[in-house]
Amino acid sequence: MAAHHHHEHEGASLAHAAESALIAAGEQWTDMRSDIFAVLATFEKPASAYDIADQVSQRRGKRVAPNSVYRILDLFVATNLARRVESANAYIANSHPGCLHDCIFLICDSCGTATHIDDDTLTMHVRAAAELAGFAEVRPVIEVRGICADCG
């Protein structure tokens, strides 16, 4: 597997890396964006916008609409702060937001855990095949479903 090295962030380091990456992308790090990212980073499994909205609502003491959360999550995905698990319509914080690469998820059908792996050679081949077929702005998202080692 051809992988590249990157620094995995967590806790305050992850929040700071996310804030820096968002500002570098020309966006503002607002209180709402900070709250949504903080909540997203607490989930060990991919979380829906509804799960995140519920948690942010509790933090803020007022209801936060899932549509507002979706818009911010879309921004986070576009700026590499979060990854979207397409088949589950759920999101997971990117533990290395300064490192841009394609997604490969291993998703457990039993417990719902999504493990993100890097294989630049594989995704390079997927990109090349898509471009050969006439696709532009290719963004591979590969999801492999099965049973994880803990559940197996």
Side-chain angles (χ1 to χ4, degrees):
M1 178 163 41
H4 59 270
H5 177 74
H6 48 257
H7 178 74
E8 299 284 334
H9 295 279
E10 59 184 60
S13 171
L14 177 57
H16 180 69
E19 179 180 0
S20 297
L22 194 63
I23 291 170
E27 299 288 343
Q28 293 182 345
W29 186 255
T30 64
D31 288 341
M32 178 64 84
R33 290 173 181 177
S34 176
D35 286 350
I36 289 172
F37 188 82
V39 166
L40 176 64
T42 66
F43 285 92
E44 291 185 21
K45 297 176 185 174
S48 73
Y50 292 91
D51 295 334
I52 296 164
D54 287 345
Q55 294 291 321
V56 173
S57 295
Q58 289 176 14
R59 270 184 180 221
R60 295 186 141 230
K62 63 180 180 179
R63 185 179 177 280
V64 174
N67 283 345
S68 299
V69 173
Y70 270 119
R71 283 192 295 277
I72 291 172
L73 290 170
D74 287 344
L75 173 67
F76 287 173
V77 170
T79 54
N80 204 39
L81 273 60
R83 307 262 185 224
R84 183 170 187 265
V85 179
E86 304 284 339
S87 63
N89 192 25
Y91 300 82
I92 192 162
N94 181 2
S95 61
H96 42 90
C99 182
L100 186 61
H101 56 87
D102 300 315
C103 294
I104 302 172
F105 284 114
L106 306 177
I107 304 164
C108 180
D109 287 329
S110 182
C111 69
T113 299
T115 302
H116 176 248
I117 61 172
D118 300 327
D119 186 332
D120 294 332
T121 300
L122 175 63
T123 57
M124 177 187 64
H125 287 296
V126 171
R127 281 178 172 275
E131 289 166 2
L132 191 62
F135 277 76
E137 299 183 34
V138 175
R139 183 185 57 89
V141 177
I142 301 169
E143 297 181 9
V144 179
R145 300 200 65 105
I147 304 298
C148 72
D150 291 340
C151 293

